[in-house]
Every structure is written in structure tokens, then in C-alpha cells.
Amino acid sequence: MAGRAVLFALDDKDAARLLAAQDDNGVLELIEELEEGWDRTRLCELDKSWDALHRCLTDGDLAYDNGDFPLSHAILGGRLLHEDDYIVSYVSPDQVHEIAAALAPLDEHWLRDRFATLTFEDYQGSGDTEDIAYTLAFLPELTDFYRAAAQDDRAVIFTVDQ
């Protein structure tokens, strides 16, 4: 799972449309609309840092259902809406509030400690100083994104191509 990830904060209308999608094609059509609109005020690009961030926010594994809520839902967790060649997972506005609160105190020291204490099986990154710095660069953006989404009472979707 080494694709580039993007989180989108959804308004009520788009969240309802996404949850009402009848099949994978319906989900992907809405994702395509969101990507075409590319509203930078309502998205967070994680590039390839999402893999390491998810591992740090959970138990070191790259899985949909690992770790403890709410941090487990910040990136790859939540309600899985599509998972073949493109992953889409959804978290509700209530969950977004809890995720934002849990992310708020996380800092550089926390992330470095997670890298040092967790075992990342099948991790494609190096785990060296450069890899940690790359991952760390995205943590403030992730925190700010969830804070803004919570303030606006929005749902969030995580998207990544595989």
C-alpha cells in the first residue's frame, strides 16, 4: 500500500451522497468529483507519509482494524467504502471530533518515540532519520486538518490508490 493519500472533509450533502452510493462505481464517481474540485481548504495531502503515520497512530501494523479508537481512525480506519485498487474509508463528524482531540497533543517527541518503540512489519520505508523527518513534516498538517474539520462539523474520508 504505497500510494499517495488524501483526506477530504465532506459537507453533509457529499457525506450523504457517499454513504448512499449503491456500489463501488458510485463511490468512485463522487471521489472523482471531489478530486476535480480540489478544494485545498478542505483536504490534506499526506503523500506517502500516511503509511508510517497510520502505523504510529496504531500498533505498528498496516491494517484497517488495528489500534485504539480514535487514533486508529485518523487515516486508514473507519467505515471502509472501497478497497480494491483504491481505498476509501469514512469517519463521521462525531468521530472527527474525537480524532481531532486525540491528535492535538501529538508532537515530534511522540512521533520519534513511536518510531523507536513500534515494530513496523513489512514497512517499505527505511525508518531512518530522513524517513522520520519526512513523516513528521505531515503530522502538523494532519492535526490542523482534523481540527478544522471538527470545527466545521464535517465527516472525513481517507483516499489512497494502491
Short mmCIF file of all heavy atoms in Angstrom, two decimals, residues 8-10 40-44 93 96-97 99-101 103 140-156:
data_model
loop_
_atom_site.label_atom_id
_atom_site.label_comp_id
_atom_site.label_asym_id
_atom_site.label_seq_id
_atom_site.Cartn_x
_atom_site.Cartn_y
_atom_site.Cartn_z
N PHE A 8 -10.23 14.14 2.70
CA PHE A 8 -11.19 15.17 2.31
C PHE A 8 -12.19 15.37 3.43
O PHE A 8 -12.73 14.39 3.96
CB PHE A 8 -11.96 14.75 1.05
CG PHE A 8 -11.13 14.65 -0.20
CD1 PHE A 8 -10.56 13.44 -0.56
CD2 PHE A 8 -10.94 15.75 -1.01
CE1 PHE A 8 -9.80 13.33 -1.72
CE2 PHE A 8 -10.18 15.66 -2.18
CZ PHE A 8 -9.61 14.44 -2.52
N ALA A 9 -12.46 16.62 3.77
CA ALA A 9 -13.52 16.95 4.73
C ALA A 9 -14.79 17.20 3.93
O ALA A 9 -14.83 18.06 3.05
CB ALA A 9 -13.14 18.19 5.53
N LEU A 10 -15.83 16.43 4.24
CA LEU A 10 -17.07 16.47 3.46
C LEU A 10 -18.16 17.27 4.15
O LEU A 10 -18.35 17.16 5.36
CB LEU A 10 -17.60 15.05 3.25
CG LEU A 10 -16.67 14.03 2.61
CD1 LEU A 10 -17.38 12.68 2.51
CD2 LEU A 10 -16.19 14.50 1.25
N ARG A 40 -8.50 23.06 -1.62
CA ARG A 40 -7.36 22.95 -0.69
C ARG A 40 -7.72 23.28 0.75
O ARG A 40 -7.04 22.86 1.66
CB ARG A 40 -6.21 23.83 -1.15
CG ARG A 40 -5.56 23.30 -2.40
CD ARG A 40 -4.13 23.80 -2.50
NE ARG A 40 -3.48 23.21 -3.63
CZ ARG A 40 -2.85 22.03 -3.61
NH1 ARG A 40 -2.81 21.33 -2.51
NH2 ARG A 40 -2.27 21.56 -4.69
N THR A 41 -8.80 24.04 0.95
CA THR A 41 -9.21 24.36 2.32
C THR A 41 -9.91 23.19 2.99
O THR A 41 -10.13 23.23 4.20
CB THR A 41 -10.14 25.59 2.35
OG1 THR A 41 -11.36 25.28 1.66
CG2 THR A 41 -9.47 26.81 1.72
N ARG A 42 -10.25 22.17 2.23
CA ARG A 42 -10.99 21.02 2.76
C ARG A 42 -10.30 19.70 2.50
O ARG A 42 -10.93 18.65 2.47
CB ARG A 42 -12.40 20.96 2.16
CG ARG A 42 -13.23 22.19 2.38
CD ARG A 42 -13.76 22.22 3.78
NE ARG A 42 -14.64 23.36 3.94
CZ ARG A 42 -14.50 24.26 4.88
NH1 ARG A 42 -13.53 24.16 5.75
NH2 ARG A 42 -15.32 25.26 4.97
N LEU A 43 -8.98 19.74 2.31
CA LEU A 43 -8.25 18.48 2.09
C LEU A 43 -6.90 18.52 2.75
O LEU A 43 -6.39 19.59 3.13
CB LEU A 43 -8.13 18.15 0.60
CG LEU A 43 -7.35 19.07 -0.33
CD1 LEU A 43 -5.86 18.83 -0.28
CD2 LEU A 43 -7.82 18.88 -1.75
N CYS A 44 -6.33 17.35 2.90
CA CYS A 44 -4.99 17.21 3.47
C CYS A 44 -4.24 16.15 2.67
O CYS A 44 -4.63 14.98 2.66
CB CYS A 44 -5.09 16.78 4.94
SG CYS A 44 -3.50 16.48 5.74
N PRO A 93 -18.79 12.88 11.48
CA PRO A 93 -18.43 14.12 12.18
C PRO A 93 -18.18 13.90 13.68
O PRO A 93 -17.25 14.51 14.23
CB PRO A 93 -19.64 15.03 11.94
CG PRO A 93 -20.20 14.56 10.63
CD PRO A 93 -20.00 13.06 10.66
N VAL A 96 -14.81 12.51 13.96
CA VAL A 96 -13.82 13.53 13.61
C VAL A 96 -13.50 14.38 14.84
O VAL A 96 -12.33 14.70 15.10
CB VAL A 96 -14.32 14.40 12.43
CG1 VAL A 96 -13.46 15.65 12.26
CG2 VAL A 96 -14.33 13.58 11.14
N HIS A 97 -14.52 14.73 15.62
CA HIS A 97 -14.28 15.50 16.85
C HIS A 97 -13.35 14.75 17.80
O HIS A 97 -12.42 15.35 18.37
CB HIS A 97 -15.62 15.80 17.55
CG HIS A 97 -16.42 16.86 16.87
ND1 HIS A 97 -16.23 18.19 17.11
CD2 HIS A 97 -17.40 16.77 15.95
CE1 HIS A 97 -17.07 18.89 16.37
NE2 HIS A 97 -17.80 18.05 15.65
N ILE A 99 -11.21 12.31 17.01
CA ILE A 99 -9.89 12.18 16.37
C ILE A 99 -9.11 13.49 16.54
O ILE A 99 -7.93 13.47 16.91
CB ILE A 99 -10.03 11.80 14.88
CG1 ILE A 99 -10.62 10.39 14.75
CG2 ILE A 99 -8.67 11.90 14.17
CD1 ILE A 99 -11.11 10.05 13.35
N ALA A 100 -9.76 14.61 16.30
CA ALA A 100 -9.09 15.91 16.43
C ALA A 100 -8.56 16.11 17.85
O ALA A 100 -7.43 16.57 18.03
CB ALA A 100 -10.06 17.05 16.05
N ALA A 101 -9.37 15.77 18.83
CA ALA A 101 -8.94 15.92 20.23
C ALA A 101 -7.76 15.01 20.55
O ALA A 101 -6.83 15.40 21.27
CB ALA A 101 -10.10 15.64 21.17
N LEU A 103 -5.48 13.86 18.39
CA LEU A 103 -4.29 14.29 17.64
C LEU A 103 -3.65 15.54 18.23
O LEU A 103 -2.43 15.73 18.11
CB LEU A 103 -4.65 14.57 16.18
CG LEU A 103 -4.93 13.38 15.28
CD1 LEU A 103 -5.49 13.85 13.94
CD2 LEU A 103 -3.68 12.54 15.08
N PRO A 140 1.78 17.96 11.65
CA PRO A 140 1.04 19.20 11.94
C PRO A 140 -0.11 19.44 10.96
O PRO A 140 -1.18 19.91 11.36
CB PRO A 140 2.11 20.29 11.81
CG PRO A 140 3.40 19.60 12.01
CD PRO A 140 3.21 18.21 11.45
N GLU A 141 0.10 19.12 9.69
CA GLU A 141 -0.97 19.29 8.70
C GLU A 141 -2.15 18.38 9.00
O GLU A 141 -3.30 18.78 8.88
CB GLU A 141 -0.43 19.01 7.30
CG GLU A 141 0.58 20.03 6.82
CD GLU A 141 1.18 19.66 5.48
OE1 GLU A 141 0.42 19.22 4.59
OE2 GLU A 141 2.40 19.82 5.32
N LEU A 142 -1.85 17.14 9.39
CA LEU A 142 -2.91 16.20 9.75
C LEU A 142 -3.69 16.72 10.95
O LEU A 142 -4.93 16.71 10.95
CB LEU A 142 -2.30 14.83 10.07
CG LEU A 142 -3.27 13.74 10.50
CD1 LEU A 142 -4.19 13.35 9.36
CD2 LEU A 142 -2.49 12.52 11.00
N THR A 143 -2.99 17.20 11.96
CA THR A 143 -3.63 17.73 13.16
C THR A 143 -4.48 18.96 12.82
O THR A 143 -5.64 19.06 13.26
CB THR A 143 -2.55 18.09 14.20
OG1 THR A 143 -1.80 16.91 14.49
CG2 THR A 143 -3.17 18.62 15.48
N ASP A 144 -3.94 19.88 12.04
CA ASP A 144 -4.69 21.08 11.65
C ASP A 144 -5.91 20.73 10.82
O ASP A 144 -6.98 21.34 10.98
CB ASP A 144 -3.79 22.04 10.86
CG ASP A 144 -2.70 22.67 11.71
OD1 ASP A 144 -2.77 22.59 12.95
OD2 ASP A 144 -1.76 23.23 11.10
N PHE A 145 -5.76 19.77 9.92
CA PHE A 145 -6.88 19.35 9.07
C PHE A 145 -8.03 18.83 9.92
O PHE A 145 -9.18 19.24 9.74
CB PHE A 145 -6.41 18.27 8.08
CG PHE A 145 -7.54 17.60 7.36
CD1 PHE A 145 -8.17 18.24 6.29
CD2 PHE A 145 -8.00 16.36 7.76
CE1 PHE A 145 -9.23 17.63 5.63
CE2 PHE A 145 -9.05 15.74 7.10
CZ PHE A 145 -9.67 16.38 6.03
N TYR A 146 -7.73 17.93 10.84
CA TYR A 146 -8.81 17.37 11.67
C TYR A 146 -9.41 18.43 12.60
O TYR A 146 -10.61 18.42 12.84
CB TYR A 146 -8.31 16.16 12.46
CG TYR A 146 -8.57 14.87 11.73
CD1 TYR A 146 -7.55 14.23 11.04
CD2 TYR A 146 -9.84 14.30 11.69
CE1 TYR A 146 -7.79 13.05 10.34
CE2 TYR A 146 -10.09 13.13 11.00
CZ TYR A 146 -9.06 12.51 10.32
OH TYR A 146 -9.30 11.34 9.62
N ARG A 147 -8.60 19.35 13.08
CA ARG A 147 -9.13 20.41 13.93
C ARG A 147 -10.15 21.25 13.14
O ARG A 147 -11.25 21.54 13.60
CB ARG A 147 -8.02 21.30 14.47
CG ARG A 147 -8.55 22.40 15.41
CD ARG A 147 -7.48 23.29 16.03
NE ARG A 147 -6.59 23.88 15.02
CZ ARG A 147 -5.30 23.58 14.88
NH1 ARG A 147 -4.72 22.71 15.67
NH2 ARG A 147 -4.58 24.15 13.95
N ALA A 148 -9.79 21.62 11.91
CA ALA A 148 -10.69 22.41 11.06
C ALA A 148 -11.94 21.64 10.70
O ALA A 148 -13.06 22.18 10.71
CB ALA A 148 -9.95 22.87 9.80
N ALA A 149 -11.78 20.35 10.37
CA ALA A 149 -12.95 19.52 10.02
C ALA A 149 -13.89 19.40 11.21
O ALA A 149 -15.12 19.45 11.06
CB ALA A 149 -12.51 18.15 9.53
N ALA A 150 -13.34 19.26 12.41
CA ALA A 150 -14.16 19.18 13.62
C ALA A 150 -14.89 20.51 13.87
O ALA A 150 -16.08 20.52 14.20
CB ALA A 150 -13.31 18.80 14.83
N GLN A 151 -14.18 21.61 13.70
CA GLN A 151 -14.80 22.92 13.91
C GLN A 151 -15.97 23.14 12.96
O GLN A 151 -16.95 23.77 13.31
CB GLN A 151 -13.77 24.04 13.73
CG GLN A 151 -12.79 24.14 14.87
CD GLN A 151 -11.67 25.13 14.59
OE1 GLN A 151 -11.42 25.56 13.46
NE2 GLN A 151 -10.94 25.48 15.65
N ASP A 152 -15.84 22.61 11.74
CA ASP A 152 -16.90 22.76 10.73
C ASP A 152 -17.91 21.62 10.78
O ASP A 152 -18.81 21.56 9.93
CB ASP A 152 -16.29 22.85 9.34
CG ASP A 152 -15.48 24.11 9.13
OD1 ASP A 152 -15.64 25.07 9.91
OD2 ASP A 152 -14.65 24.14 8.19
N ASP A 153 -17.73 20.69 11.73
CA ASP A 153 -18.62 19.54 11.90
C ASP A 153 -18.76 18.73 10.61
O ASP A 153 -19.85 18.39 10.17
CB ASP A 153 -19.98 19.99 12.41
CG ASP A 153 -20.71 18.88 13.14
OD1 ASP A 153 -20.04 18.05 13.78
OD2 ASP A 153 -21.96 18.84 13.07
N ARG A 154 -17.62 18.40 10.02
CA ARG A 154 -17.60 17.65 8.76
C ARG A 154 -17.16 16.21 8.97
O ARG A 154 -16.39 15.92 9.87
CB ARG A 154 -16.65 18.32 7.78
CG ARG A 154 -17.18 19.65 7.27
CD ARG A 154 -16.19 20.30 6.32
NE ARG A 154 -16.73 21.52 5.75
CZ ARG A 154 -17.22 21.59 4.51
NH1 ARG A 154 -17.18 20.55 3.72
NH2 ARG A 154 -17.70 22.73 4.07
N ALA A 155 -17.65 15.35 8.11
CA ALA A 155 -17.15 13.98 8.02
C ALA A 155 -15.84 14.04 7.25
O ALA A 155 -15.53 15.04 6.56
CB ALA A 155 -18.15 13.10 7.27
N VAL A 156 -15.04 12.97 7.35
CA VAL A 156 -13.76 12.91 6.63
C VAL A 156 -13.66 11.56 5.94
O VAL A 156 -14.05 10.55 6.47
CB VAL A 156 -12.58 13.10 7.62
CG1 VAL A 156 -11.25 12.72 6.98
CG2 VAL A 156 -12.53 14.53 8.14
#
